[in-house]
Amino acid sequence: RMGPAVLRVDAPTAPATLSVFAHCGRKGGVAMLVVNVDASRRVVSLPRHGSREVLALRASSLESPVFEETTRADAEDARRPLAIAPFSATFLELSELENAPCRSGVT
C-alpha cells in the first residue's frame, strides 16, 4: 500500500512511455506504481531488495475504458528484473527495501 510520503524517482534511461512513482509503504519498505502506455513490454531493474508483491492491471490498448486483466504475484524473485506488460499499471510492494527517507520521515 502506498503511504502519504512521496519519494523522488530517478529513471533517466526510461522511455517517455514509462512512468514510475514511489511512496513510503504503509507497512515499511517502498510501494511503487509503474505505468506503461506503450504497445511494447518493458523491463525494469529495481533497487536491491528482499521479496516483492506485484499486482498488474492490463488493458488491450490506450483507448480501452477498463483494465481487462488483473494478475497478482506474491513473493516474486527479487533478483530478476520486472517485466511490465504493454498498456498496464503495475503496483509493487518492496517490503524489505531499505530506504533512509522512509525511516527518517524525509522525502
Side-chain angles (χ1 to χ4, degrees):
R1 294 185 175 166
M2 295 184 109
V6 179
L7 301 171
R8 188 182 90 213
V9 176
D10 290 323
T13 61
T17 56
L18 193 73
S19 297
V20 182
F21 307 91
H23 288 235
C24 292
R26 292 188 185 271
K27 298 177 184 176
V30 173
M32 298 178 72
L33 168 62
V34 182
V35 179
N36 182 7
V37 296
D38 196 356
S40 300
R41 180 181 80 126
R42 300 292 179 191
V43 176
V44 176
S45 295
L46 300 169
R48 181 180 231 163
H49 62 281
S51 65
R52 67 184 180 213
E53 293 182 39
V54 179
L55 174 65
L57 307 172
R58 297 183 184 123
S60 58
S61 73
L62 282 180
E63 292 81 27
S64 180
V66 296
F67 288 108
E68 291 127 6
E69 182 182 346
T70 303
T71 57
R72 181 179 186 91
D74 294 325
E76 285 212 355
D77 185 351
R79 296 168 295 191
R80 297 177 59 198
L82 182 67
I84 306 297
F87 308 122
S88 69
T90 302
F91 296 90
L92 303 123
E93 186 172 344
L94 309 177
S95 58
E96 298 171 28
L97 180 66
E98 291 295 322
N99 190 288
C102 292
R103 287 192 309 274
S104 66
V106 176
T107 56

